[in-house]
């Protein structure tokens, strides 16, 4: 039995039950409750399944559960599309495979490296499994400083939670931290037997009380688009909208591109930064 997966699905469903009050779904509150939110019996009733069936699902014993049941549970718990995908992933894991060798290294194909190098007006980088930073372009390096990090520390969760400068670098640190953990949790659901991920989560849990709290919340979120504020030591604060693009042919890699508004103060500061860091070493691991 995969006990880590059982804990993941159980903790996830319990956390989603806790955020919904009975009166929100037309149920009487039934007096004082020991725990917040819906009881397992109420979720089962609203989803149209037996209590025993739902309990087996929450205990990780529902590996043959149907799409219809998962959809019904998702509707009751008001899961968004990303949460629904996560539920399907942890409820019905794929065939058991041996974990990847700890020595295995993700590679960025040459064509993607050339694309990065050609994007000389915007910061860009490639993220892989566990949000490891696999490659970057010159302006991306100038903004984040990837080349100055030891190779084993080029990982976004490590930077956010273990780098003592992170709260200064990110004025909206709390939002950045929550988004980072939510995406890492999604990656964990897709790859439940990843030894490196387990090691990373353990390291972050020991090193950061904030990470432990956010990890226990079981939030899941796809990294798609948004905006991030970065306080740069040379040019000041940058407001950086970003787009995250899936890399065709490798579902475990993402191209992240910062897209500042044309003629904005951030665009001007990036131009200045680019002129100061002309012709550095191009995108590398």
């Amino acid at each position: 039995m995969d006990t880590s997966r059982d804990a993941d699905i159980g903790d996830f469903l319990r956390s989603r039950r806790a955020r919904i009050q009975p009166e929100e779904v037309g149920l009487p509150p039934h007096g004082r409750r020991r725990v917040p939110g819906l009881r397992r019996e109420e979720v089962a009733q609203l989803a149209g399944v037996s209590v025993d069936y739902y309990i087996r699902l929450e205990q990780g014993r529902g590996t043959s559960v149907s799409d219809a049941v998962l959809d019904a549970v998702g509707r009751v718990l008001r899961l968004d599309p990303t949460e629904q995908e996560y539920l399907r992933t942890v409820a019905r894991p794929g065939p058991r495979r041996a974990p990847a060798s700890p020595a295995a290294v993700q590679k960025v194909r040459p064509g993607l490296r050339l694309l990065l190098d050609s994007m000389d007006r915007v910061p860009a980088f490639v993220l892989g499994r566990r949000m490891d930073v696999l490659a970057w372009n010159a302006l991306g390096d100038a903004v984040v400083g990837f080349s100055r990090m030891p190779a084993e520390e080029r990982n976004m969760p490590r930077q956010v939670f273990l780098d003592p400068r992170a709260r200064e670098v990110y004025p909206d640190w709390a939002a950045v931290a929550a988004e980072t953990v939510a995406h890492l949790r999604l990656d964990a659901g897709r790859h439940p037997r990843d030894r490196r991920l387990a090691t990373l989560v353990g390291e972050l849990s020991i090193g950061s009380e904030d990470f432990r709290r956010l990890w226990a919340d079981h939030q899941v979120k796809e990294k798609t688009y948004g905006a991030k504020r970065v306080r740069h030591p040379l040019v000041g604060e940058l407001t950086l909208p970003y787009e995250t693009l899936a890399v065709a042919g490798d579902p475990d890699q993402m191209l992240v591109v910062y897209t500042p508004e044309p003629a904005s103060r951030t665009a001007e500061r990036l131009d200045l930064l680019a002129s100061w860091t002309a012709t550095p070493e191009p995108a590398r691991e």
Side-chain angles (χ1 to χ4, degrees):
M1 179 181 293
D2 191 338
T3 55
S4 63
R5 184 189 70 84
D6 298 344
D8 281 345
I9 188 172
D11 290 345
F12 175 70
L13 289 172
R14 284 189 289 272
S15 72
R16 294 312 178 269
R17 286 196 283 116
R19 68 184 183 180
I20 300 176
Q21 298 307 310
E23 53 269 28
E24 296 178 45
V25 291
L27 293 175
H30 290 304
R32 191 171 183 177
R33 290 173 175 250
R34 290 182 300 171
V35 294
L38 296 177
R39 298 187 177 103
R40 292 181 295 186
E41 295 82 358
E42 291 166 337
V43 175
Q45 174 190 340
L46 293 167
V49 299
S50 72
V51 175
D52 182 64
Y53 193 100
Y54 178 77
I55 290 174
R56 291 202 307 272
L57 174 63
E58 200 165 280
Q59 292 176 342
R61 297 187 290 127
T63 54
S64 60
V65 62
S66 69
D67 286 343
V69 169
L70 291 177
D71 288 345
V73 170
R75 285 193 298 271
V76 171
L77 298 180
R78 301 181 178 180
L79 303 185
D80 64 28
T82 302
E83 292 171 325
Q84 187 70 40
E85 181 214 346
Y86 180 81
L87 175 60
R88 288 175 184 266
T89 300
V90 296
R92 296 187 311 210
R96 189 176 184 87
R97 295 175 296 178
S101 166
V105 176
Q106 283 187 288
K107 298 294 184 180
V108 175
R109 61 177 182 262
L112 186 54
R113 290 188 177 279
L114 288 173
L115 176 62
L116 275 173
D117 289 344
S118 69
M119 301 168 69
D120 57 354
R121 304 291 296 176
V122 294
F125 50 93
V126 176
L127 294 181
R129 292 288 322 287
R130 303 165 292 272
M131 300 182 77
D132 288 342
V133 182
L134 304 181
W136 54 88
N137 67 1
L139 197 50
D141 192 25
V143 170
V144 186
F146 297 122
S147 65
R148 297 190 297 275
M149 301 176 186
E152 64 276 9
E153 295 181 13
R154 291 178 192 144
N155 171 272
M156 298 309 289
R158 279 197 180 95
Q159 185 205 21
V160 170
F161 289 99
L162 301 183
D163 188 334
R165 300 165 297 176
R167 294 173 190 265
E168 177 65 23
V169 170
Y170 299 114
D172 305 310
W173 182 88
V176 172
E179 178 186 81
T180 300
V181 173
H183 183 78
L184 193 65
R185 171 66 76 177
L186 189 62
D187 188 63
R190 291 168 175 166
H191 302 276
R193 303 177 188 96
D194 185 338
R195 294 173 183 169
R196 282 188 174 182
L197 179 56
T199 299
L200 174 63
V201 170
E203 178 184 348
L204 295 172
S205 297
I206 292 171
S208 171
E209 181 180 350
D210 290 299
F211 177 84
R212 292 196 301 274
R213 172 179 54 81
L214 289 168
W215 189 254
D217 284 344
H218 280 262
Q219 299 298 320
V220 291
K221 183 179 179 181
E222 193 75 77
K223 185 177 178 65
T224 52
Y225 63 90
K228 185 177 292 184
R229 288 196 300 153
V230 173
R231 190 176 288 121
H232 195 276
L234 296 180
V235 296
E237 187 170 300
L238 304 169
T239 300
L240 297 165
Y242 64 84
E243 296 287 337
T244 302
L245 310 175
V247 174
D250 193 332
D252 289 332
Q253 292 187 15
M254 305 177 293
L255 173 63
V256 182
V257 183
Y258 289 138
T259 55
E261 292 289 335
S264 65
R265 179 172 295 183
T266 291
E268 294 172 355
R269 289 176 175 178
L270 285 177
D271 286 342
L272 181 60
L273 189 59
S275 70
W276 288 346
T277 58
T279 62
E281 184 69 17
R284 292 295 175 262
E285 294 179 341

